[in-house]
Amino acid sequence: MQREGERLNAYLRTRSAGADTTSLIELSRPDSTGQVLLFAHPVGGSLLAYQPLVRRLGDHRCFGLEASARTPGDGGPAASMQELARRYVESFAGRGPEVDVVCGWSFGGALAWEIACLLAARGRRPRVVLLDSTWSGGVYPRWTPGDAVRAFVDDVSRLSGHDGESAPDTRAEAAAALDMDLETFTERFEIFEHNRRLICEWEPTPGDLDVVSVRAVDSAKCDWRTVTSGSVRFEDLPGDHYGLLRDDGNLAAIERAVRDEPSAAAAAVPHPDGPAAEADETALHTSLKQLVDTPHWRDLVIRARRMDPDAITEAYRELGRRGLLTPDWPSEYGGAGTPTRRAIELFEGFSSTGLPDLVYALTVQIVGNFVLKSGSERLRRELLPRIARGEEFATVLYSEPRAGSDLAALRTRAERRGENYVLNGVKVFSIYSDIAGSALVAARTGQDGHKYDGITLFVIDLAADGVSVELVETVQRERMCRVRLHDVEVESWRRVGDEDRGWALLDGALAIERTGIDHVVRAARWLKALHATTAPSARLRRLEGQVECATTLARAATEVFLRADVRATDTAVAKLYTSETCQQVGHEVLRRWSTLATAPGADDLVHEELFSALTESPGLTLSAGTSEMMLSTLSADLKEECSRRCLEILHRFGGDLVDTVVEVLEPEGARIKAEPLFAHSDERREALAKTLTDLGFDLVERPEDEGGLGLGLTAGCGISLAMGYLGYENAYTPHHFAGDGGTQAPHGPCAQRACRLRHAAYVLGLGIGLFRTAWEHAVVREQFGRRLVDHDSLMFPLIRGYAELTALGARLHELAEHARDADEDAVRRFELVEQDALVRVVRGAMQVLGAQGITEWSVGSRFYMKCAQNMGLLDHEGMVADG
């Protein structure tokens, strides 16, 4: 130990003496001619751990970032990992060579990732090699001074190959144990403490870089596919976190990873989106089809819908046996590492047969994924494989008799007794607690501070002593329960996250509940049952189109919820729109129930679906946050960033493209006067069209072999959106090219699909522009001593309109992306849904604008009249019928 301490002490002194304020140190010979590698320091700030690896890379130019008291930047220590990375990049950018590969171990991997993202933003896209790098999702354990000193000594010792040899209580004792002088020890310890806080609070910045993730088999793992949209290659190596850089075999494998030479083991692991992975996913879909296309499965579904626990258990165990429940989970917890979107496709597949979907939503999507993200390693290993095999169900215990949607009011208490906790309280409105084995419980462990402080989360065993489950009769088939907790003893490893810090974790958990994927699956089943018992109608066709919009929105939300930085607000739009859409389908059943209940020829499963729609739809807008809560959440978000949120809908079609159109045409249109403002103006249209042509936007959709940019219809819709967003005539007239089938008519509609989608985009842009105009008016206009934007009764209809505009944008983008293969009926249904939604948006916006909105000179009246001139053209069939 003394020899290692002397080596570390000498190394630090040498580096400190030669370091300048950039903290960038050359680790290899200056005459090396290979790629430029940048190593980011671990939590202790020293580069010593990389020396064995650097020696293997002598033909490359290796640089390292090392922390010291002179770490660059003014204003005190960096407040976040992102800020620390920015300081480093600003200190060496433009002074050193261009970096080809950024590498980091442990904390250094987090720093390397953030540095790589910043370099990519500056035009350099380095490859990223991350060595056993994980994140904790904002959980920062509070240590005593003695705990912190011992943790630092343990870190240094284990880096040197020693473990548990010393347990000092003071800095002086620790410095002596490491054979370091107190001044050097203090500097390194303070760096360690500061960096430990940064890594604990760090949430990775999403990016699109290619990553090699080298993971130690015996340590915790995080999936970098949830952070980057680039390729991710995994290298799982034997040993633990600290042994990764000491073992010769591991070093050889890491060297190959840095050199971009995948090992045989890594080559054998299919990339999540590669051919082998596609073959595995095809096999999963084939297995699902073979399972559900049988009379026995249909019988299981009907029995399960009638709450037969044996049928529910058998169905889910068969899904688990085939690997269909959690294919996107890591293999060590029962999954296969497939992309989350594939898992959602499988869920949609078996749920569409009628199997009770809330069992899956509670067990896998909520409790399972929550434990996967934030649970202890023991909890993961004991619970998750059983869930993956379909052997155990789980539920959530949040609501209480006096704390429904307001979780801050919960009264269930958890008292610390030694190493365990004792829980007491009552939970209500819990679904499937009668057949679940585990439950995620929110309990209060503290009372001081903010009302959301002092909440702690646990996963309890529902068969434990002191737990009693009572059924609560409701009108629906799915059972609700009251769960009483009396002196229930819970081991500390069943706690999820830190004590008193549960609200921050719940915020992310609520985001999982709010994707809406379960709502759209139900809505599709209910619509299918309606079609089986009801004559076709325009109302059903519009509902079907609305469900399609909701499905696109929900699928997009599922791509978000496993991000490390996900918040409940990130899926608020999806929860609001999908739950209310599903409820509208239920209301259609309610409207017709007196005849549907006795409809001749309806088989058992159809009747079960209709009864489900009737009885379950009232509660859809209550669970996981009421619609009013979603509206309040969106209101607060829009008050801060209305313009950016509006532009986000447009940016789906091409951020840079849309921004350029808006930037160029906003002043162009403003200086071309048309009186009255809402009147059609040939002069304005011609001037705008000329500007677009001069900038080359008329060539956006033309194929490259015809001299165009070949960006496709999606980009063309983006331009049309921008025109509507600005409130101008749609002056975008792309040149005709093969496959388009027509061009946008300058003064009338075109029946060709591409032109119809461009027009739909233009109308959507008008709706977004009118929404923004009304919102900006509400921010500055006061009434009865309050800003209009603070009157919920006035603003909530407008915010619902924003949710509809978001859903329309997601669906329109999907249709434009696949326009050549799009079903004609799907396009027609979308037009009907858009027309219906825009009526509500216009009505809500004009109510907010008040008398100003109907004055001839106002921007609001301009948008209103342009909506009137263009919304009717979405009703293509009515337009043709009217001649």
Side-chain angles (χ1 to χ4, degrees):
M1 180 65 174
Q2 183 175 2
R3 182 176 61 82
E4 294 296 343
E6 292 173 350
R7 178 170 171 244
L8 177 63
N9 200 38
Y11 175 86
L12 295 175
R13 283 187 176 279
T14 300
R15 289 303 184 191
S16 296
D20 63 17
T21 56
T22 67
S23 297
L24 183 67
I25 298 170
E26 185 151 11
L27 304 176
S28 58
R29 297 190 309 271
D31 58 350
S32 301
T33 58
Q35 287 188 313
V36 176
L37 313 180
L38 178 65
F39 291 86
H41 63 74
V43 67
S46 160
L47 295 167
L48 184 64
Y50 296 121
Q51 281 193 342
L53 178 60
V54 170
R55 283 196 291 268
R56 290 174 169 269
L57 299 164
D59 56 328
H60 289 317
R61 290 197 70 186
C62 298
F63 293 84
L65 290 171
E66 186 161 73
S68 72
R70 296 188 295 273
T71 294
D74 298 325
S80 67
M81 187 73 73
Q82 284 84 354
E83 183 183 346
L84 181 63
R86 178 186 58 77
R87 291 185 181 186
Y88 278 128
V89 170
E90 289 178 352
S91 73
F92 69 75
R95 299 181 55 187
E98 296 287 352
V99 176
D100 299 299
V101 181
V102 183
C103 181
W105 168 72
S106 192
F107 171 97
L111 182 56
W113 171 256
E114 296 298 338
I115 288 172
C117 289
L118 291 173
L119 293 176
R122 292 169 176 253
R124 184 73 177 180
R125 193 173 187 270
R127 196 162 51 86
V128 188
V129 179
L130 305 174
L131 310 178
D132 221 33
S133 296
T134 62
W135 56 90
S136 61
V139 180
Y140 176 47
R142 303 291 177 178
W143 287 350
T144 65
D147 290 337
V149 166
R150 285 187 289 276
F152 175 65
V153 171
D154 182 64
D155 183 69
V156 174
S157 301
R158 296 180 70 179
L159 274 172
S160 304
H162 302 274
D163 190 8
E165 294 185 0
S166 177
D169 291 318
T170 67
R171 295 189 184 189
E173 292 175 0
L178 295 175
D179 197 30
M180 297 170 64
D181 63 80
L182 186 57
E183 180 182 356
T184 302
F185 173 88
T186 299
E187 178 183 333
R188 307 315 298 185
F189 171 72
E190 289 177 353
I191 290 171
F192 170 85
E193 263 291 83
H194 174 251
N195 288 342
R196 181 180 73 88
R197 180 180 63 79
L198 294 188
I199 189 65
C200 288
E201 296 177 348
W202 177 59
E203 296 177 346
T205 299
D208 63 351
L209 297 168
D210 297 334
V211 170
V212 178
S213 178
V214 179
R215 307 183 295 186
V217 170
D218 296 335
S219 64
K221 296 176 178 63
C222 285
D223 190 348
W224 280 91
R225 289 172 299 183
T226 64
V227 177
T228 180
S229 57
S231 67
V232 179
R233 191 177 87 222
F234 294 106
E235 292 262 9
D236 288 347
L237 303 178
D240 62 11
H241 184 67
Y242 285 90
L244 196 64
L245 292 171
R246 293 199 308 266
D247 181 84
D248 287 340
N250 285 348
L251 283 170
I254 295 170
E255 178 191 354
R256 288 193 296 269
V258 172
R259 295 180 182 277
D260 200 19
E261 299 170 0
S263 64
V269 179
H271 184 276
D273 294 319
E278 290 179 5
D280 289 344
E281 291 160 13
T282 299
L284 289 172
H285 282 281
T286 300
S287 178
L288 175 61
K289 189 175 188 306
Q290 291 171 346
L291 173 64
V292 302
D293 288 348
T294 62
H296 180 61
W297 179 262
R298 180 180 177 80
D299 177 65
L300 278 180
V301 167
I302 293 174
R303 288 166 47 208
R305 294 300 296 272
R306 294 170 179 171
M307 295 299 105
D308 180 341
D310 292 335
I312 296 173
T313 299
E314 182 181 346
Y316 273 92
R317 285 195 175 182
E318 184 59 31
L319 290 169
R321 187 183 70 79
R322 294 170 180 254
L324 300 172
L325 287 177
T326 61
D328 55 328
W329 286 6
S331 58
E332 59 265 35
Y333 304 127
T338 64
T340 298
R341 63 181 179 276
R342 303 299 185 210
I344 296 301
E345 289 173 4
L346 292 168
F347 162 67
E348 290 184 44
F350 61 73
S351 293
S352 67
T353 65
L355 187 69
D357 53 81
L358 261 183
V359 177
Y360 174 89
L362 289 165
T363 303
V364 177
Q365 285 188 308
I366 300 174
V367 178
N369 280 320
F370 194 74
V371 170
L372 184 64
K373 289 181 69 175
S374 308
S376 69
E377 183 59 24
R378 180 175 176 182
L379 182 58
R380 291 175 190 163
R381 293 193 179 277
E382 293 205 8
L383 178 63
L384 297 183
R386 296 204 304 273
I387 288 177
R389 294 191 296 267
E391 296 173 358
E392 180 162 338
F393 303 140
T395 188
V396 295
L397 300 179
Y398 295 158
S399 297
E400 298 182 6
R402 297 184 182 180
S405 297
D406 183 9
L407 292 181
L410 62 83
R411 296 186 177 188
T412 295
R413 291 204 58 81
E415 296 181 4
R416 189 74 181 255
R417 296 185 186 175
E419 291 299 315
N420 297 335
Y421 294 81
V422 176
L423 273 62
N424 284 280
V426 178
K427 299 291 185 176
V428 294
F429 308 134
S430 172
I431 298 182
Y432 289 119
S433 291
D434 56 325
I435 64 172
S438 298
L440 180 65
V441 182
R444 190 165 292 285
T445 48
Q447 293 179 327
D448 299 331
H450 192 275
K451 65 178 182 177
Y452 291 113
D453 293 337
I455 296 175
T456 304
L457 304 178
F458 305 88
V459 172
I460 68 169
D461 182 353
L462 287 174
D465 292 340
V467 180
S468 63
V469 179
E470 308 163 5
L471 287 177
V472 177
E473 295 299 328
T474 67
V475 297
Q476 63 188 45
R477 298 264 198 242
E478 290 180 318
R479 296 165 172 170
M480 285 188 176
C481 301
R482 178 183 291 106
V483 181
R484 301 182 188 274
L485 308 173
H486 178 68
D487 290 341
V488 179
E489 192 167 343
V490 180
E491 301 93 331
S492 57
W493 58 268
R494 286 183 171 273
R495 188 188 70 209
V496 181
D498 281 351
E499 187 173 301
D500 297 338
R501 305 292 179 180
W503 178 254
L505 299 177
L506 272 176
D507 195 46
L510 288 171
I512 296 174
E513 293 188 59
R514 294 174 179 174
T515 62
I517 195 69
D518 53 329
H519 296 319
V520 298
V521 169
R522 289 190 197 191
R525 294 201 316 255
W526 297 348
L527 265 177
K528 184 178 179 181
L530 273 171
H531 280 301
T533 54
T534 307
S537 66
R539 186 192 298 271
L540 286 185
R541 185 160 53 166
R542 186 179 293 109
L543 271 177
E544 190 174 353
Q546 194 171 333
V547 171
E548 289 167 346
C549 290
T551 301
T552 302
L553 189 63
R555 287 171 179 167
T558 61
E559 293 291 319
V560 171
F561 77 78
L562 282 180
R563 279 197 340 235
D565 61 343
V566 69
R567 303 167 302 155
T569 54
D570 293 332
T571 49
V573 167
K575 166 60 170 66
L576 178 68
Y577 187 81
T578 59
S579 64
E580 296 199 344
T581 293
C582 191
Q583 191 174 70
Q584 286 178 46
V585 180
H587 288 167
E588 190 64 24
V589 174
L590 172 66
R591 182 181 291 110
R592 303 165 183 263
W593 181 248
S594 59
T595 55
L596 291 176
T598 57
D603 63 20
D604 288 345
L605 188 53
V606 168
H607 186 272
E608 286 296 329
E609 292 292 1
L610 293 172
F611 185 75
S612 170
L614 176 71
T615 58
E616 293 174 17
S617 57
L620 293 176
T621 55
L622 301 177
S623 61
T626 65
S627 287
E628 290 73 23
M629 289 178 64
M630 299 303 99
L631 290 166
S632 294
T633 297
L634 292 172
S635 177
D637 192 44
L638 287 165
K639 286 176 185 177
E640 294 182 3
E641 301 184 271
C642 175
S643 293
R644 188 165 76 86
R645 294 307 185 199
C646 290
L647 282 172
E648 280 178 354
I649 304 175
L650 280 70
H651 284 168
R652 184 185 294 271
F653 295 78
D656 292 341
L657 179 75
V658 167
D659 286 344
T660 300
V661 174
V662 172
E663 181 180 349
V664 170
L665 293 187
E666 195 162 25
E668 177 73 18
R671 69 170 180 263
I672 302 172
K673 188 176 181 182
E675 293 190 8
L677 276 174
F678 54 76
H680 172 74
S681 167
D682 287 333
E683 180 187 5
R684 181 191 294 271
R685 176 186 290 277
E686 290 169 4
L688 294 175
K690 182 178 185 303
T691 302
L692 287 173
T693 302
D694 291 344
L695 292 171
F697 283 108
D698 58 332
L699 303 178
V700 161
E701 295 183 56
R702 179 184 289 186
E704 293 183 62
D705 57 6
E706 296 181 19
L709 300 177
L711 298 181
L713 179 59
T714 304
C717 285
I719 298 172
S720 294
L721 260 170
M723 301 296 291
Y725 178 72
L726 293 171
Y728 301 154
E729 291 83 5
N730 191 5
Y732 175 61
T733 54
H735 284 279
H736 170 74
F737 59 84
D740 185 310
T743 60
Q744 178 84 22
H747 302 296
C750 172
Q752 297 300 325
R753 187 177 305 160
C755 286
R756 287 166 59 191
L757 290 174
R758 292 189 201 99
H759 181 71
Y762 173 64
V763 174
L764 177 61
L766 289 172
I768 300 169
L770 179 56
F771 169 86
R772 183 196 62 174
T773 300
W775 190 275
E776 290 175 349
H777 171 76
V779 169
V780 298
R781 177 81 163 87
E782 289 191 2
Q783 196 171 63
F784 305 115
R786 295 171 62 195
R787 297 184 307 167
L788 292 182
V789 77
D790 296 322
H791 289 269
D792 289 347
S793 60
L794 178 65
M795 299 304 294
F796 275 7
L798 186 62
I799 298 170
R800 272 195 170 86
Y802 167 75
E804 293 196 82
L805 292 169
T806 302
L808 290 170
R811 178 59 174 160
L812 176 61
H813 181 267
E814 185 174 58
L815 288 170
E817 283 267 279
H818 306 95
R820 296 181 186 277
D821 302 319
D823 177 70
E824 172 62 27
D825 289 339
V827 175
R828 174 69 187 128
R829 288 192 294 269
F830 174 79
E831 290 172 323
L832 292 176
V833 172
E834 183 180 36
Q835 185 182 53
D836 188 54
L838 261 292
V839 169
R840 287 187 291 274
V841 171
V842 170
R843 183 174 61 200
M846 297 305 288
Q847 184 72 13
V848 169
L849 286 167
Q852 180 177 314
I854 58 175
T855 55
E856 186 180 46
W857 49 265
S858 72
V859 175
S861 66
R862 180 179 70 189
F863 274 112
Y864 179 81
M865 293 305 297
K866 289 194 179 302
C867 286
Q869 293 160 4
N870 288 276
M871 283 166 51
L873 302 181
L874 293 168
D875 187 1
H876 186 70
E877 291 178 1
M879 177 189 67
V880 172
D882 291 341

